[in-house]
Amino acid sequence: DVKVTQSSRYLVKRTGEKVFLECVQDMDHENMFWYRQDPGLGLRLIYFSYDVKMKEKGDIPEGYSVSREKKERFSLILESASTNQTSMYLCASSPSGGGRRETQYFGPGTRLLVL
Amino acid sequence: AQSVTQLDSHVSVSEGTPVLLRCNYSSSYSPSLFWYVQHPNKGLQLLLKYTSAATLVKGINGFEAEFKKSETSFHLTKPSAHMSDAAEYFCVVFYNQGGKLIFGQGTELSVKP
């Protein structure tokens, strides 16, 4: 059974803190993604990675960075958290070949509140 | 501009009645289209996927969707709703031009007993 796990389900941080969100997949997938989900806006892509140490900006990368040191792990970093980064963060992975055309497998999400 | 529009933000049906969730997308040559479902406090799960084979696509849990190129639509249907179908549903389109994957805004489905 495919599995994408995220380190926290709920997180509360203060403005200005550095925040790390971790994602691990056990399917040996090449591609990994970070999205944020906000009511009425669907999912918006923050960053994605198609290989270890490779990353590409998505549609809303400002205020975020990512790290992929190992194939199975993809981290999202908020360098200095702000209240407008309060959101649900979803991680996903997919096999290589079709890139973003492939089916994506999602983690359960991390609900982040920045005070 | 590439876009995906889910025509209803919320749909409410009674258990045992048909479900129709509507999705339109901006025209594209040979797109790939998906429907995902998200149950409360869970990640998204693939329901079904169209990739230029048969225009009527069958998915899990009795759902199906029909790709209509002339109408640029990919509506999701189910003949008989079940309480466990209550969730949020996302229509997603992959555009070859630019390689972008675009999510609709989501439709919340409520099922009344």
Side-chain angles (χ1 to χ4, degrees):
Chain A
D1 198 18
V2 297
K3 205 74 183 278
V4 179
T5 55
Q6 295 183 228
S7 52
S8 306
R9 294 300 302 273
Y10 301 94
L11 215 47
V12 181
K13 296 291 181 182
R14 296 213 172 272
T15 302
E17 278 193 76
K18 191 168 186 175
V19 182
F20 293 86
L21 303 183
E22 304 283 340
C23 175
V24 177
Q25 51 97 1
D26 67 358
M27 295 163 284
D28 202 35
H29 284 168
E30 281 74 18
N31 304 313
M32 295 189 76
F33 308 84
W34 274 107
Y35 295 91
R36 64 176 282 175
Q37 180 181 12
D38 299 288
L41 296 177
L43 274 70
R44 293 177 292 167
L45 182 66
I46 305 172
Y47 267 97
F48 69 99
S49 169
Y50 50 87
D51 201 353
V52 175
K53 296 194 187 295
M54 306 298 283
K55 61 185 179 185
E56 285 201 23
K57 292 179 180 179
D59 300 316
I60 52 164
E62 296 78 21
Y64 303 95
S65 62
V66 290
S67 171
R68 189 151 181 217
E69 297 296 319
K70 292 186 177 182
K71 189 176 185 180
E72 67 271 17
R73 188 180 297 269
F74 191 35
S75 302
L76 179 69
I77 303 152
L78 286 66
E79 296 291 342
S80 177
S82 63
T83 54
N84 62 14
Q85 293 178 309
T86 291
S87 187
M88 169 74 98
Y89 290 88
L90 290 167
C91 175
S93 72
S94 71
S96 66
R100 280 184 276 180
R101 179 195 291 271
E102 297 289 340
T103 299
Q104 294 189 19
Y105 298 86
F106 286 83
T110 296
R111 195 170 289 282
L112 173 66
L113 173 63
V114 182
L115 300 174
Chain B
Q2 295 166 338
S3 64
V4 178
T5 303
Q6 291 183 240
L7 295 158
D8 306 290
S9 58
H10 189 259
V11 170
S12 182
V13 301
S14 297
E15 192 173 20
T17 64
V19 176
L20 170 64
L21 305 182
R22 299 180 294 166
C23 174
N24 285 101
Y25 63 95
S26 57
S27 181
S28 169
Y29 175 74
S30 193
S32 295
L33 301 110
F34 309 77
W35 275 99
Y36 283 85
V37 61
Q38 184 180 31
H39 289 279
N41 299 314
K42 297 277 178 70
L44 279 69
Q45 178 188 13
L46 181 72
L47 270 181
L48 50 80
K49 175 181 176 181
Y50 167 80
T51 55
S52 77
T55 56
L56 184 63
V57 183
K58 292 190 186 297
I60 61 171
N61 301 334
F63 283 94
E64 60 183 39
E66 187 172 6
F67 173 65
K68 290 188 175 180
K69 187 174 181 178
S70 60
E71 298 176 11
T72 60
S73 69
F74 190 56
H75 301 334
L76 182 70
T77 60
K78 182 173 180 177
S80 176
H82 191 272
M83 295 298 290
S84 61
D85 294 327
E88 188 154 23
Y89 292 79
F90 291 94
C91 179
V92 184
V93 179
F94 176 81
Y95 288 92
N96 284 306
Q97 301 97 317
K100 294 205 80 170
L101 189 71
I102 298 183
F103 286 75
Q105 305 92 323
T107 298
E108 180 105 29
L109 175 66
S110 301
V111 182
K112 297 174 290 190

